[in-house]
Amino acid sequence: MTMARWLGRLLLPVVVGVLTLAALAAPASAHGQLAMSTPAKDSTVKTPLESLRLYFTEAPAPNAYFTVTAPNGARVDQTWTHGQPERLDKPVQEYNLVNGVWEPSVYNTGFPAVIPVAYWPEQGEYVVHYLSIASDGEPVKGDLRFTYKGRTTAPPKGWQAPTNEPDAILLASAEPGGGATADATPQSSGGALGPVAPSQASTGSAAGPAAVPETGAATAPAARTAAGQDDSGTGLSVWLVPALLVVGAGALVLRAARRPAPSTGAAPARTA
């Protein structure tokens, strides 16, 4: 066996191990994520619902933005409000950056945003879009899709589809590297609040109770499944060292592989 092959076989487990550690070191999810929804993600709805509920691990920001879009592209959402907190079907683990270290916390309570649906114009795929800011200043955004196969309904009298857009703070937080500070997310304690004025459609009311880390397993029946989420939080210090180790190990393997193997031919015999 040549030196290059021997060195390559020796370093291969090291490279694989470092890659595994780097993958495990990254936090699984960011703060304030979407944990559950009614209807569930990718589910099928067979009866017209009066409202949809999206449960987050903390109350959505007062300026959070929600839309519900029908298959034909028309918005059918009305002014959203905070609902009463409920126990999640499954506990959710999130990571919070504390003194430069990612610390896990387990959440069992979901804080819902209640989004009334004005009418159901047709069957097909409906899309719920959400955009908010977590208490740590990071954006919370994503889409929730489900299929509607129930009867169609007519719009209410005088119905006009909303045309509002997210405010500047939300748009800035959603940009890469544009996370707002925690102070930009107003917080207040208390229960769920009532609906706001029509001029504030899809912007919500004052925030409900802030999320508190909990421990233990959920006991509620699995009537709703956990919804997907687009956020993730990783610190530079978490993945930089493993990445450098991977690059260094790879360079050693390539260097050893390119080194010519020592000659094994026999030396020419001398003549008398």
Side-chain angles (χ1 to χ4, degrees), residues 162-243:
T163 58
N164 62 308
E165 298 291 338
D167 64 27
I169 295 179
L170 285 175
L171 291 176
S173 71
E175 293 296 328
T181 61
D183 293 339
T185 308
Q187 297 288 335
S188 62
S189 59
L193 303 181
V196 297
S199 60
Q200 297 174 319
S202 293
T203 58
S205 52
V212 179
E214 302 175 356
T215 57
T219 57
R224 298 170 293 267
T225 60
Q229 190 276 337
D230 286 355
D231 309 288
S232 61
T234 55
L236 182 62
S237 60
V238 174
W239 56 265
L240 180 58
V241 174

Side-chain angles (χ1 to χ4, degrees), residues 261-269:
S263 177
T264 57

Side-chain angles (χ1 to χ4, degrees), residues 74-198:
R75 283 180 57 178
V76 294
D77 54 280
Q78 295 179 298
T79 304
W80 75 274
T81 59
H82 289 94
Q84 292 292 341
E86 297 183 24
R87 192 171 182 84
L88 297 173
D89 292 341
K90 295 181 180 179
V92 174
Q93 178 174 277
E94 294 183 350
Y95 286 81
N96 300 291
L97 192 60
V98 180
N99 297 326
V101 179
W102 289 102
E103 298 289 348
S105 298
V106 177
Y107 296 82
N108 289 306
T109 302
F111 298 85
V114 183
I115 313 164
V117 177
Y119 70 112
W120 299 87
E122 60 181 331
Q123 296 182 348
E125 184 180 69
Y126 283 70
V127 181
V128 184
H129 175 74
Y130 59 91
L131 177 60
S132 183
I133 302 178
S135 58
D136 61 0
E138 291 298 315
V140 178
K141 60 180 180 179
D143 293 325
L144 172 70
R145 299 172 183 271
F146 62 91
T147 302
Y148 180 70
K149 292 186 177 181
R151 62 181 178 85
T152 60
T153 59
K157 184 177 181 180
W159 165 255
Q160 292 183 349
T163 58
N164 62 308
E165 298 291 338
D167 64 27
I169 295 179
L170 285 175
L171 291 176
S173 71
E175 293 296 328
T181 61
D183 293 339
T185 308
Q187 297 288 335
S188 62
S189 59
L193 303 181
V196 297

